[in-house]
Amino acid sequence: MNRYRPRTLALELAMIAAALFVAFPLYVLVNLAVRPSSDTSSPIRPTSSPTLDNFTQAWQQGSLGGALANSVLVTVCSVVVVLAVSSLAAYPLARVTARWSRGTYLLVLLGLVLPFQLASLPLYQTLPDLGLLGTPWALVLFYSGLQVPFTVFLYVGFLRALPRDFEDAALIDGCTPLQAFRRVVLPMLKPVTVTALVLNTVAVWNDFFTPLLYLSGSAQQTMPVAIAGFVGQYVTDWNLIFAALVISILPVLIVYFLLQRSIINGFAGGLRDDTRLPSLTHAHCHFPEGDKMKTRTPMTLVAAVTAAALLAACSGGTKASDSGGGSKTLTLASIDQGSVEDVVKAFEKANPGVKVRYTTSGADQYQQQIRTVVRSGDRP
């Protein structure tokens, strides 16, 4: 039974202090956002007569409706492009061991070292030729290139920790490399995908310099630029600024609360020991046979793999021991004992002098033989 000790009390007090330290800026933000402009008391003092007029004025004077729509458009499009490109690029970089793969990976990581300000002026001169300057699509193009190196770095590190057996099983089932990635590998990338989603969303949503540079001189603007418009040279209405900040924070908070469980699992889950291969029953991978494609079920796959291993055993690929009377015992490593039982019984019935002894461990030595037989077109 756990006892409430002084150490437990000290830890609770420390956590409460940390929570108050984090919550204090939020309290000041909301307190000033609902305070009338005529109230000049201390920001820490609770507002005696809160009002929502600051939100209405900020929405109208700062044209926050259009700015909010632009921020959502730029963030969603940029993050989707970054995740799609980075995951597809990271897969061959993590799996291919050739020199060009390592060199390409280092070249991608070079984007983490070089400051993006170096490309700001050349890109600013190029965007008018593309007709994108002053439009949200200029920001989408910029962020899609800026965030890819860091996201590829996250994906490659996670993919290198994933066993290759998952893709090998899918390839034996008839998947192409792209199908194996889309139906088998991509579902297992959910933790790192959620992490990259959060980091990229926050980075794009809060960026101020890039929208200020590429959208200047146009009616288009994002939330950070619109909020900065409330700051004047001589007059600054802080109550409207804090109200606009609350409006800017709300969409991100809503998304966080909707995806709270996935986000927490993404940061804390990582690669666990209970990671499982998605069911190949729904993978719809095919073996090419002439001009047609014939779907293979997992049971058919197991039968083909087992028969191929038996053929390899008969040709000397397994251990055989004489047990007298001309009978032989074959030792077979199987990937699934329950599924191959009927196949083994049928084989023994067709070959009365052969006894098959199979186990579910040690299948690694037969994997290459199985792949060769299955892919050669001379399948059992």
Side-chain angles (χ1 to χ4, degrees):
M1 181 177 181
N2 295 329
R3 296 181 179 180
Y4 192 83
R5 301 179 178 180
R7 181 180 179 183
T8 305
L9 176 61
L11 291 175
E12 289 183 353
L13 293 177
M15 295 302 296
I16 293 174
L20 292 176
F21 180 78
V22 174
F24 179 74
L26 296 178
Y27 161 74
V28 175
L29 173 65
V30 177
N31 188 42
L32 293 180
V34 298
R35 174 175 294 184
S37 301
S38 58
D39 190 348
T40 59
S41 59
S42 173
I44 303 177
R45 181 177 177 272
T47 301
S48 57
S49 56
T51 178
L52 298 179
D53 292 340
N54 293 330
F55 296 95
T56 303
Q57 296 180 24
W59 184 271
Q60 295 175 352
Q61 296 180 17
S63 301
L64 297 185
L68 184 62
N70 288 332
S71 292
V72 172
L73 174 65
V74 171
T75 302
V76 172
C77 294
S78 300
V79 172
V80 169
V81 172
V82 168
L83 293 180
V85 172
S86 300
S87 59
L88 288 172
Y91 182 60
L93 292 178
R95 288 294 184 248
V96 179
T97 58
R99 289 186 178 180
W100 67 265
S101 177
R102 179 175 298 181
T104 304
Y105 179 58
L106 294 177
L107 184 63
V108 172
L109 293 185
L110 188 62
L112 296 175
V113 180
L114 299 177
F116 73 92
Q117 290 85 355
L118 292 177
S120 297
L121 183 58
L123 188 59
Y124 186 85
Q125 296 174 342
T126 304
L127 288 176
D129 298 334
L130 301 176
L132 298 178
L133 188 63
T135 66
W137 303 112
L139 301 180
V140 173
L141 179 63
F142 179 84
Y143 292 129
S144 298
L146 178 66
Q147 299 299 121
V148 163
F150 175 70
T151 311
V152 168
F153 173 75
L154 293 178
Y155 273 114
V156 169
F158 192 87
L159 279 167
R160 286 177 176 174
L162 284 177
R164 301 178 65 98
D165 297 340
F166 298 113
E167 296 107 285
D168 292 340
L171 293 174
I172 292 175
D173 194 39
C175 284
T176 63
L178 183 59
Q179 288 176 326
F181 170 77
R182 183 165 59 93
R183 301 186 184 277
V184 178
V185 178
L186 189 58
M188 295 187 294
L189 296 180
K190 182 179 178 181
V192 69
T193 299
V194 174
T195 302
L197 172 67
V198 173
L199 296 178
N200 285 297
T201 299
V202 172
V204 174
W205 184 271
N206 292 332
D207 187 29
F208 173 77
F209 173 76
T210 306
L212 180 65
L213 178 64
Y214 295 126
L215 298 182
S216 60
S218 67
Q220 306 287 346
Q221 57 184 353
T222 58
M223 287 297 293
V225 178
I227 294 174
F230 289 104
V231 180
Q233 183 177 0
Y234 301 105
V235 179
T236 299
D237 195 336
W238 291 105
N239 299 95
L240 296 185
I241 292 177
F242 284 108
L245 287 173
V246 172
I247 297 175
S248 176
I249 292 173
L250 284 178
V252 180
L253 288 179
I254 293 174
V255 173
Y256 173 79
F257 285 121
L258 292 177
L259 303 177
Q260 182 178 8
R261 179 175 298 180
S262 298
I263 291 173
I264 294 176
N265 291 337
F267 278 111
L271 181 62
R272 299 179 297 179
D273 293 335
D274 59 348
T275 302
R276 296 182 180 179
L277 175 67
S279 176
L280 294 182
T281 306
H282 307 288
H284 302 294
C285 298
H286 303 84
F287 281 111
E289 292 190 9
D291 296 332
K292 299 181 180 180
M293 303 289 281
K294 182 178 180 182
T295 303
R296 301 292 185 179
T297 63
M299 186 61 190
T300 306
L301 169 65
V302 173
V305 171
T306 305
L310 289 173
L311 291 177
C314 293
S315 62
T318 58
K319 297 179 181 180
S321 59
D322 295 334
S323 57
S327 62
K328 293 184 177 181
T329 300
L330 299 179
T331 302
L332 171 66
S334 172
I335 61 174
D336 191 342
Q337 180 174 352
S339 301
V340 302
E341 184 175 357
D342 295 337
V343 178
V344 171
K345 289 181 179 179
F347 182 83
E348 291 178 342
K349 184 177 180 181
N351 301 271
V354 179
K355 177 66 176 178
V356 179
R357 181 179 62 192
Y358 55 93
T359 177
T360 57
S361 62
D364 293 342
Q365 57 182 320
Y366 300 110
Q367 285 186 359
Q368 187 60 40
Q369 291 177 310
I370 292 172
R371 294 195 202 101
T372 303
V373 173
V374 173
R375 295 176 181 175
S376 64
D378 186 16
R379 297 183 293 276

